[in-house]
């Protein structure tokens, strides 16, 4: 088993789980103009991250790793800052969530080259993950441009 591939998939996994949880948190607490649009857009982020994180975890298992998606592990190792408790104004929430999605995507992208050198299939999966996240980040960003 390659430590490079293992670490990249594990980090991507915890960041996708954190993004999924924070997107639901925002989905519930956003208020203001375009509430409905953002409320629904955030569930699209949740659906995308759930699909992708399962692919990442199962790839990690296939290459000999043991996916660690425990809440304490996610909280201790994600690159994402915690999302504020309480209500979120729509304009700020669009910007905040676009940044979070992009941050996770960019971190996944940073793993593509080193992972691809050792395992093309895992590298290809990370490309697919970042493509799916880039699309969601663009949807969120475009709403406020
Ligand atoms: Fe809902």
């Amino acid at each position: 088993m390659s430590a490079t591939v293992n670490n990249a998939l594990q980090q991507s996994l915890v960041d996708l789980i954190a993004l999924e949880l924070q997107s639901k948190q925002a989905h519930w607490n956003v208020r203001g103009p375009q509430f409905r649009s953002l409320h629904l857009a955030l569930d699209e982020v949740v659906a995308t991250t759930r699909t992708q994180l399962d692919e990442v975890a199962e790839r990690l298992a296939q290459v000999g790793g043991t996916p660690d998606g425990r809440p304490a592990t996610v909280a201790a190792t994600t690159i994402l800052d915690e999302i504020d408790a309480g209500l979120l104004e729509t304009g700020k929430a669009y910007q905040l969530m676009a940044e979070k999605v992009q941050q996770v995507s960019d971190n996944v992208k940073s793993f593509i080259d080193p992972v691809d050198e050792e395992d093309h299939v895992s590298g290809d999966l990370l490309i697919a993950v970042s493509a799916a996240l880039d699309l969601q980040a663009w949807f969120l960003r475009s709403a406020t441009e």
Side-chain angles (χ1 to χ4, degrees):
M1 180 176 57
S2 156
T4 301
V5 175
N6 189 90
N7 294 344
L9 292 174
Q10 174 60 33
Q11 187 61 50
S12 300
L13 174 62
V14 294
D15 291 335
L16 287 163
I17 294 171
L19 183 61
E20 180 203 0
L21 293 172
Q22 293 190 13
S23 298
K24 263 300 185 194
Q25 175 73 13
H27 169 83
W28 296 320
N29 286 301
V30 69
R31 297 288 189 280
Q34 289 100 46
F35 161 80
R36 185 76 181 157
S37 297
L38 182 53
H39 181 69
L40 296 177
L42 287 166
D43 253 357
E44 226 178 279
V45 177
V46 170
T48 296
T49 52
R50 269 191 82 78
T51 300
Q52 299 299 330
L53 73 86
D54 196 50
E55 299 284 337
V56 169
E58 289 172 1
R59 183 68 199 166
L60 179 51
Q62 288 165 52
V63 299
T66 49
D68 188 351
R70 295 175 297 170
T73 302
V74 173
T77 62
T78 181
I79 60 166
L80 288 179
D81 291 336
E82 185 58 282
I83 191 167
D84 287 343
L87 297 182
L88 299 162
E89 189 273 320
T90 42
K92 283 184 193 154
Y94 264 114
Q95 192 181 359
L96 176 70
M97 295 313 296
E99 285 169 7
K100 285 179 179 289
V101 175
Q102 195 63 61
Q103 188 184 352
V104 173
S105 182
D106 289 348
N107 204 49
V108 169
K109 279 179 211 158
S110 75
F111 299 137
I112 292 171
D113 281 345
V115 166
D116 196 51
E117 278 183 26
E118 304 194 19
D119 176 15
H120 293 314
V121 177
S122 294
D124 189 64
L125 174 58
L126 294 179
I127 290 172
V129 170
S130 57
L133 293 177
D134 278 358
L135 180 65
Q136 294 300 320
W138 177 63
F139 285 161
L140 294 171
R141 252 193 332 267
S142 298
T144 59
E145 278 170 357

